[in-house]
Amino acid sequence: MSKKILTTPIKNEDLESLTIGDVVFLNGYLITSRDDVHHRHITQGKELPVDLAGKAIFHAGPIMQEKKEEPGKYEVISIGPTTSMRMEKLQKEFIEATGLKLVVGKGGMGPKTAEACKANKTIHTVFPGGCAVLAASRVEEVESVEWLDLGMPEAMWVMRVKEFGPLIVSIDTKGNNLFEKNKALFNEKKEKVVAEIIKHVDYLD
């Protein structure tokens, strides 16, 4: 089985054959964009300093270190994903406004994001938790940083990455949601198992 690699700028046709549960890797540009970036752009209406059309964002707050030999240039020490559901409130509008094609984070997202993914041919993917150093090793260069006034975790770090992943597709371009599907399957199995257990358990009054 060949490794599926997405390269920015990502096109609709690159994503349409993907389905929830597929594993992909990313080449090209990955830009950190989390709570404050979404709020500043959507709620406050401030123009983004980076064009995200066809690119990928990462719900992450990295640890960066300025290079002693190159002031103003940074290297990634660690970059683990943060909980994507925190962005659910504004993610739909952010996708619509920017034209981004790939969202990377931790955990699932809700119906508004799934709706936006379907309407705009975008996908949400999950990077494994606890692998922040592995993620950092996939960053070839930190090209720039924008909105550093928000602080290191919330700034927009523009990174060039090579085979960044593994990324598990959690919402595909058809709006299918892996986490919601798994929740439904779990609840269905849980009810049957609990009902069977109750038959064999004697409860004290």
Side-chain angles (χ1 to χ4, degrees):
M1 183 177 178
S2 60
K3 181 186 291 186
K4 175 68 175 178
I5 297 177
L6 300 172
T7 302
T8 60
I10 301 168
K11 302 178 178 61
N12 290 351
E13 50 267 34
D14 298 330
L15 305 176
E16 289 172 336
S17 64
L18 296 175
T19 189
I20 52 174
D22 286 349
V23 176
V24 299
F25 294 80
L26 176 69
N27 285 346
Y29 285 98
L30 179 63
I31 300 98
T32 59
S33 305
R34 47 184 272 176
D35 308 63
D36 285 354
V37 170
H38 286 66
H39 177 71
R40 181 173 277 189
H41 183 48
I42 300 301
T43 307
Q44 297 180 348
K46 295 185 179 180
E47 185 176 352
L48 288 176
V50 180
D51 181 7
L52 297 180
K55 296 188 178 72
I57 65 167
F58 194 11
H59 295 157
I63 297 174
M64 297 286 188
Q65 181 174 310
E66 190 170 12
K67 296 181 178 180
K68 293 181 179 179
E69 67 278 11
E70 296 181 78
K73 295 289 287 184
Y74 293 83
E75 61 181 345
V76 190
I77 303 303
S78 175
I79 183 165
T82 196
T83 303
S84 284
M85 190 58 78
R86 295 216 313 266
M87 271 53 74
E88 175 67 14
K89 182 179 178 181
L90 298 174
Q91 193 67 82
K92 177 177 183 289
E93 292 79 3
F94 197 81
I95 289 172
E96 292 171 346
T98 61
L100 69 92
K101 289 298 170 186
L102 173 63
V103 180
V104 182
K106 180 174 70 175
M109 297 198 75
K112 287 182 64 180
T113 299
E115 179 185 333
C117 286
K118 183 177 181 179
N120 297 276
K121 302 297 182 183
T122 300
I123 64 171
H124 176 268
T125 64
V126 175
F127 182 83
C131 299
V133 175
L134 170 65
S137 73
R138 296 291 186 263
V139 178
E140 291 190 311
E141 183 181 1
V142 179
E143 291 201 352
S144 64
V145 57
E146 305 291 343
W147 286 353
L148 190 53
D149 62 295
L150 294 175
M152 183 180 291
E154 295 288 348
M156 298 185 76
W157 295 94
V158 181
M159 303 174 294
R160 191 160 36 79
V161 300
K162 181 71 173 180
E163 293 192 12
F164 187 91
L167 307 175
I168 304 167
V169 178
S170 61
I171 301 177
D172 60 28
T173 59
K174 300 175 184 64
N176 298 313
N177 190 320
L178 179 64
F179 281 82
E180 293 304 315
K181 178 183 177 181
N182 286 344
K183 283 181 189 176
L185 290 173
F186 171 79
N187 287 329
E188 180 183 337
K189 292 180 179 180
K190 179 185 72 174
E191 291 174 6
K192 294 177 181 178
V193 171
V194 170
E196 184 62 29
I197 290 173
I198 289 174
K199 294 178 185 178
H200 305 284
V201 175
D202 184 18
Y203 289 97
L204 294 175
D205 292 330

